Amino acid sequence: MASEITYAEVRITNESNASGTHSRCPAAPREKRIHHLSKPGSPSLPFTSLLVLFLLLAITFLVAFIIYFQKYFQLLEVKKGIKDITHKELNCIKNVSLMEDKVWSCCPKDWKPFGSHCYFTSTDLMASWNESKESCSHMGAHLVVIHSQEEQDFITGILNADVGYFIGLLDAGDRQWQWIDQTPYSESAVFWHQGEPNNVYEKCVIINHRKNTKWGWNDIPCSDKHKSVCQMKKMYL
Ligand code: MMA
Ligand code: CA
């Protein structure tokens, strides 16, 4: 009996050890784990998320602020540009470009677009080189500057073969050819008629059509009266 009791006691001890560890142990650490998660975590976790949220909000505000001011200044520039435009009517085309801003490229009405420029042939009476230069200038343009075969071909394509047109090329002295927009004069892109330039006293240049050499340049006296071609940069809105 006594041994049975002892056995029973032992069993109980064993059972309590065996089942107790299995049943209480997961409960005890679970409680402990909850305490660990909630006690130090309960003030820091929401605090961290609040901090992250605040930082995100701050970054979003900052980005929005920067974008807003960028757009604002862009708009100011466009407005200033529009004020500077002396032309009442523009023809614009929407550029198929990935560039987000300044999508529309415009030329004044009656001007012809080519590349990044607009071209205009004088409709008024013939004028000297200086008068022609002034006339272009009043329209926010300058006498045409030609830097490639493509440009030369485009320009001659819009001209009348029966008359001559002043271009923005000038002899600064001693056959020092200078473009009116200060871009360099390159011997690799010149379209002089055969035998031209031929006279040191002819310091201005026209583009005209000759039966033998077709379209080309000729140096002439600046006081001669001719039509002219004006050029300006396209306006981007
Ligand atoms: C001729 C020829 C040119 C010159 C002009 C001046 C008609 O062309 O000599 O080189 O510039 O005359 O009018
Ligand atoms: Ca000449």
Side-chain angles (χ1 to χ4, degrees):
M1 272 295 273
S3 71
E4 245 189 333
I5 291 161
T6 314
Y7 178 72
E9 274 173 3
V10 170
R11 259 188 80 189
I12 288 162
T13 326
N14 271 356
E15 258 182 13
S16 69
N17 269 357
S19 66
T21 41
H22 279 296
S23 62
R24 276 180 203 163
C25 268
R30 208 183 295 149
E31 259 176 67
K32 270 187 186 171
R33 216 182 297 145
I34 289 160
H35 280 294
H36 267 296
L37 282 173
S38 59
K39 264 187 186 167
S42 60
S44 76
L45 196 72
F47 178 75
T48 316
S49 16
L50 268 175
L51 193 76
V52 168
L53 196 75
F54 176 77
L55 277 175
L56 277 174
L57 267 172
I59 290 165
T60 312
F61 260 100
L62 195 75
V63 169
F65 191 76
I66 290 166
I67 291 171
Y68 176 82
F69 271 91
Q70 265 185 344
K71 292 278 170 201
Y72 176 75
F73 285 112
Q74 257 173 27
L75 219 73
L76 272 188
E77 256 182 58
V78 169
K79 211 176 149 193
K80 194 173 146 262
I82 288 169
K83 265 192 193 167
D84 291 343
I85 295 168
T86 49
H87 305 272
K88 289 196 182 99
E89 273 186 70
L90 302 178
N91 284 330
C92 303
I93 54 161
K94 194 171 183 178
N95 294 341
V96 189
S97 154
L98 290 174
M99 204 170 67
E100 230 186 75
D101 46 347
K102 301 201 171 172
V103 193
W104 294 90
S105 68
C106 311
C107 281
K109 186 179 169 278
D110 300 328
W111 290 58
K112 293 186 172 61
F114 180 74
S116 52
H117 289 89
C118 314
Y119 298 81
F120 181 75
T121 54
S122 61
T123 45
D124 42 310
L125 291 170
M126 306 212 280
S128 70
W129 190 87
N130 261 311
E131 290 162 348
S132 306
K133 178 189 146 195
E134 280 303 304
S135 168
C136 288
S137 179
H138 282 140
M139 293 185 283
H142 56 72
L143 282 168
V144 74
V145 165
I146 304 166
H147 284 306
S148 69
Q149 181 73 61
E150 291 75 27
E151 228 179 334
Q152 166 84 0
D153 292 345
F154 167 76
I155 291 154
T156 57
I158 60 167
L159 302 184
N160 176 353
D162 299 327
V163 286
Y165 299 79
F166 275 120
I167 64 172
L169 189 57
L170 194 70
D171 180 4
D174 218 15
R175 305 279 87 175
Q176 293 288 307
W177 296 107
Q178 261 184 16
W179 287 112
I180 200 165
D181 68 345
Q182 308 302 322
T183 48
Y185 173 81
S186 167
E187 287 288 352
S188 63
V190 294
F191 306 96
W192 294 106
H193 279 297
Q194 213 174 353
E196 306 291 350
N198 67 338
N199 189 335
V200 288
Y201 298 107
E202 298 182 328
K203 296 193 175 297
C204 288
V205 180
I206 55 162
I207 187 168
N208 68 355
H209 188 268
R210 285 181 182 173
K211 283 217 170 71
N212 55 340
T213 51
K214 306 291 175 192
W215 287 99
W217 304 347
N218 174 29
D219 55 342
I220 58 146
C222 297
S223 54
D224 278 11
K225 298 204 180 258
H226 288 281
K227 289 198 163 224
S228 55
V229 185
C230 298
Q231 177 188 36
M232 69 159 77
K233 281 205 175 93
K234 276 182 181 170
M235 288 159 276
Y236 295 96
L237 303 177

